[in-house]
Protein backbone atom coordinates (compact mmCIF):
# COMPACT_ATOMS: atom_id res chain seq x y z
CA UNK A 1 0.00 0.00 0.00
CA UNK A 2 2.85 2.37 0.82
CA UNK A 3 4.46 1.85 -2.58
CA UNK A 4 1.14 2.36 -4.34
CA UNK A 5 0.64 5.58 -2.37
CA UNK A 6 4.12 6.77 -3.30
CA UNK A 7 3.53 5.94 -6.95
CA UNK A 8 0.20 7.80 -7.01
CA UNK A 9 1.72 10.80 -5.22
CA UNK A 10 4.73 10.87 -7.56
CA UNK A 11 2.45 10.65 -10.58
CA UNK A 12 0.25 13.45 -9.31
CA UNK A 13 3.30 15.64 -8.67
CA UNK A 14 4.65 14.90 -12.13
CA UNK A 15 1.33 15.75 -13.79
CA UNK A 16 0.19 18.78 -11.77
CA UNK A 17 3.25 20.58 -10.36
CA UNK A 18 4.76 23.06 -12.84
CA UNK A 19 8.27 22.18 -14.00
CA UNK A 20 9.51 25.61 -12.87
CA UNK A 21 8.47 24.81 -9.30
CA UNK A 22 10.37 21.52 -9.34
CA UNK A 23 13.42 23.25 -10.79
CA UNK A 24 13.20 25.89 -8.04
CA UNK A 25 12.99 23.21 -5.34
CA UNK A 26 16.03 21.51 -6.86
CA UNK A 27 18.12 24.62 -6.08
CA UNK A 28 17.61 24.28 -2.29
CA UNK A 29 20.86 22.30 -1.68
CA UNK A 30 22.79 24.86 -3.72
CA UNK A 31 21.21 27.75 -1.78
CA UNK A 32 22.02 26.10 1.56
CA UNK A 33 25.60 25.34 0.52
CA UNK A 34 26.14 28.90 -0.70
CA UNK A 35 24.67 30.35 2.48
CA UNK A 36 22.64 32.90 0.55
CA UNK A 37 19.14 31.39 0.65
CA UNK A 38 18.13 33.34 -2.44
CA UNK A 39 19.35 36.63 -0.93
CA UNK A 40 17.25 36.17 2.24
CA UNK A 41 20.28 36.39 4.53
CA UNK A 42 21.14 39.82 3.11
CA UNK A 43 17.51 40.94 3.50
CA UNK A 44 17.36 39.66 7.09
CA UNK A 45 20.66 41.37 7.93
CA UNK A 46 19.37 44.67 6.52
CA UNK A 47 16.12 44.17 8.45
CA UNK A 48 17.99 43.50 11.69
CA UNK A 49 20.04 46.66 11.19
CA UNK A 50 16.84 48.67 10.62
CA UNK A 51 15.29 47.12 13.76
CA UNK A 52 18.28 48.15 15.89
CA UNK A 53 17.76 51.77 14.77
CA UNK A 54 14.12 51.88 16.00
CA UNK A 55 13.68 48.92 18.35
CA UNK A 56 10.70 50.07 20.43
CA UNK A 57 8.11 51.42 17.99
CA UNK A 58 9.53 50.48 14.58
CA UNK A 59 9.02 52.48 11.41
CA UNK A 60 5.30 51.99 10.78
CA UNK A 61 3.15 49.63 8.74
CA UNK A 62 4.37 48.84 5.25
CA UNK A 63 7.81 50.40 5.68
CA UNK A 64 10.07 47.33 5.76
CA UNK A 65 11.75 47.88 2.38
CA UNK A 66 12.29 51.60 3.03
CA UNK A 67 13.57 51.08 6.59
CA UNK A 68 15.93 48.30 5.52
CA UNK A 69 17.05 50.34 2.48
CA UNK A 70 15.96 47.68 0.02
CA UNK A 71 14.25 47.85 -3.34
CA UNK A 72 10.56 48.81 -3.02
CA UNK A 73 9.41 45.39 -4.26
CA UNK A 74 11.43 43.49 -1.61
CA UNK A 75 9.73 41.90 1.38
CA UNK A 76 11.13 40.66 4.67
CA UNK A 77 10.67 36.96 3.79
CA UNK A 78 10.10 36.43 7.52
CA UNK A 79 7.04 37.55 9.44
CA UNK A 80 8.74 38.14 12.78
CA UNK A 81 11.45 40.25 11.12
CA UNK A 82 8.81 42.29 9.28
CA UNK A 83 6.86 42.87 12.50
CA UNK A 84 10.01 43.85 14.41
CA UNK A 85 11.04 46.40 11.78
CA UNK A 86 7.60 47.89 11.17
CA UNK A 87 6.19 47.70 14.70
CA UNK A 88 9.24 47.36 16.92
CA UNK A 89 9.15 45.38 20.15
CA UNK A 90 5.74 46.85 20.99
CA UNK A 91 4.25 45.66 17.69
CA UNK A 92 5.92 42.26 18.06
CA UNK A 93 4.47 41.89 21.57
CA UNK A 94 0.98 42.72 20.27
CA UNK A 95 1.36 40.33 17.33
CA UNK A 96 2.62 37.52 19.58
CA UNK A 97 -0.20 38.25 22.04
CA UNK A 98 -2.71 37.80 19.23
CA UNK A 99 -0.97 34.55 18.31
CA UNK A 100 -1.22 33.29 21.90
CA UNK A 101 -4.93 34.23 22.02
CA UNK A 102 -5.54 32.36 18.75
CA UNK A 103 -3.75 29.28 20.12
CA UNK A 104 -5.93 29.50 23.24
CA UNK A 105 -9.05 29.60 21.08
CA UNK A 106 -7.79 26.61 19.11
CA UNK A 107 -7.22 24.72 22.37
CA UNK A 108 -10.88 25.24 23.34
CA UNK A 109 -12.04 23.44 20.19
CA UNK A 110 -11.99 19.67 19.80
CA UNK A 111 -12.17 16.83 17.33
CA UNK A 112 -11.98 17.34 13.60
CA UNK A 113 -12.37 21.10 13.94
CA UNK A 114 -9.23 21.32 16.07
CA UNK A 115 -7.32 19.13 13.61
CA UNK A 116 -8.41 21.21 10.61
CA UNK A 117 -7.76 24.61 12.20
CA UNK A 118 -4.54 23.40 13.82
CA UNK A 119 -3.27 22.17 10.48
CA UNK A 120 -4.11 25.50 8.83
CA UNK A 121 -2.29 27.38 11.62
CA UNK A 122 0.73 25.05 11.35
CA UNK A 123 0.95 25.74 7.61
CA UNK A 124 0.70 29.48 8.32
CA UNK A 125 3.46 29.21 10.93
CA UNK A 126 5.78 27.40 8.55
CA UNK A 127 4.99 29.90 5.80
CA UNK A 128 5.70 32.80 8.16
CA UNK A 129 9.30 31.64 8.56
CA UNK A 130 10.07 32.28 4.91
CA UNK A 131 7.35 34.74 3.96
CA UNK A 132 5.72 37.88 5.29
CA UNK A 133 2.17 36.92 6.25
CA UNK A 134 1.36 39.64 8.78
CA UNK A 135 -0.21 41.92 6.16
CA UNK A 136 -2.04 39.10 4.37
CA UNK A 137 -5.84 39.17 4.66
CA UNK A 138 -5.96 35.38 4.77
CA UNK A 139 -3.86 35.41 7.96
CA UNK A 140 -6.37 37.62 9.73
CA UNK A 141 -9.33 35.70 8.32
CA UNK A 142 -7.84 32.47 9.70
CA UNK A 143 -7.20 34.12 13.08
CA UNK A 144 -10.82 35.31 13.14
CA UNK A 145 -12.18 31.87 12.24
CA UNK A 146 -10.14 30.22 14.97
CA UNK A 147 -11.28 32.83 17.50
CA UNK A 148 -14.91 32.29 16.47
CA UNK A 149 -14.54 28.51 16.71
CA UNK A 150 -13.03 28.88 20.19
CA UNK A 151 -15.92 31.05 21.31
CA UNK A 152 -18.54 28.68 19.86
CA UNK A 153 -16.77 25.75 21.53
CA UNK A 154 -17.43 27.44 24.88
CA UNK A 155 -20.94 28.76 24.18
CA UNK A 156 -22.39 25.95 22.04
CA UNK A 157 -20.12 22.91 22.48
CA UNK A 158 -22.74 20.26 21.62
CA UNK A 159 -23.83 21.96 18.42
CA UNK A 160 -20.24 22.51 17.30
CA UNK A 161 -19.25 18.93 18.11
CA UNK A 162 -22.29 17.60 16.26
CA UNK A 163 -21.49 19.58 13.10
CA UNK A 164 -17.79 18.69 13.03
CA UNK A 165 -18.00 15.11 14.30
CA UNK A 166 -19.34 13.76 11.04
CA UNK A 167 -22.42 12.36 12.80
CA UNK A 168 -24.76 14.84 11.11
CA UNK A 169 -23.42 13.91 7.66
CA UNK A 170 -23.83 10.21 8.42
CA UNK A 171 -27.42 10.81 9.56
CA UNK A 172 -28.24 12.71 6.36
CA UNK A 173 -26.74 9.97 4.21
CA UNK A 174 -28.72 7.35 6.14
CA UNK A 175 -31.96 9.30 5.63
CA UNK A 176 -31.29 9.68 1.89
CA UNK A 177 -30.50 5.99 1.51
CA UNK A 178 -33.60 5.01 3.54
CA UNK A 179 -35.83 7.04 1.21
CA UNK A 180 -34.44 5.33 -1.90
Amino acid sequence: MVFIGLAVTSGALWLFVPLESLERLATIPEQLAGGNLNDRLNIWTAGWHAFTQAPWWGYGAGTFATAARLAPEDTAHNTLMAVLVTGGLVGAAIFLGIGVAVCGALWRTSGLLRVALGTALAVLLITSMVGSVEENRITWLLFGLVALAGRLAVEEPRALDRVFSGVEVQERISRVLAVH
Side-chain angles (χ1 to χ4, degrees):
M1 291 305 291
V2 171
F3 291 115
I4 291 172
L6 285 173
V8 169
T9 302
S10 298
L13 288 173
W14 183 259
L15 289 172
F16 297 111
V17 175
L19 182 61
E20 294 81 17
S21 296
L22 296 174
E23 289 172 351
R24 175 84 166 105
L25 289 173
T27 66
I28 290 174
E30 177 185 319
Q31 293 293 329
L32 290 173
N36 188 350
L37 299 176
N38 199 28
D39 213 29
R40 280 179 170 83
L41 291 179
N42 295 333
I43 291 170
W44 294 338
T45 301
W48 183 256
H49 179 72
F51 165 69
T52 61
Q53 302 305 307
W56 292 105
W57 300 102
Y59 292 87
T63 61
F64 180 84
T66 304
R69 296 190 175 114
L70 299 171
E73 64 275 359
D74 281 335
T75 65
H77 293 290
N78 182 287
T79 299
L80 185 57
M81 179 61 68
V83 171
L84 284 171
V85 171
T86 60
L89 290 172
V90 172
I94 292 169
F95 189 75
L96 291 174
I98 291 169
V100 168
V102 167
C103 289
L106 176 66
W107 187 255
R108 288 188 293 275
T109 64
S110 62
L112 295 175
L113 181 60
R114 182 186 288 177
V115 171
L117 293 175
T119 301
L121 285 173
V123 168
L124 182 72
L125 178 65
I126 292 167
T127 302
S128 73
M129 293 178 196
V130 294
S132 302
V133 300
E134 77 287 351
E135 294 178 355
N136 191 325
R137 292 179 196 153
I138 299 298
T139 299
W140 298 101
L141 175 63
L142 179 60
F143 285 177
L145 289 173
V146 174
L148 175 62
R151 181 175 177 173
L152 290 175
V154 171
E155 294 177 1
E156 298 287 337
R158 287 189 208 126
L160 199 60
D161 285 344
R162 182 170 173 78
V163 170
F164 287 99
S165 68
V167 171
E168 188 172 298
V169 173
Q170 290 173 353
E171 289 174 356
R172 286 183 187 171
I173 290 172
S174 296
R175 281 190 298 241
V176 169
L177 292 176
V179 171
H180 296 290

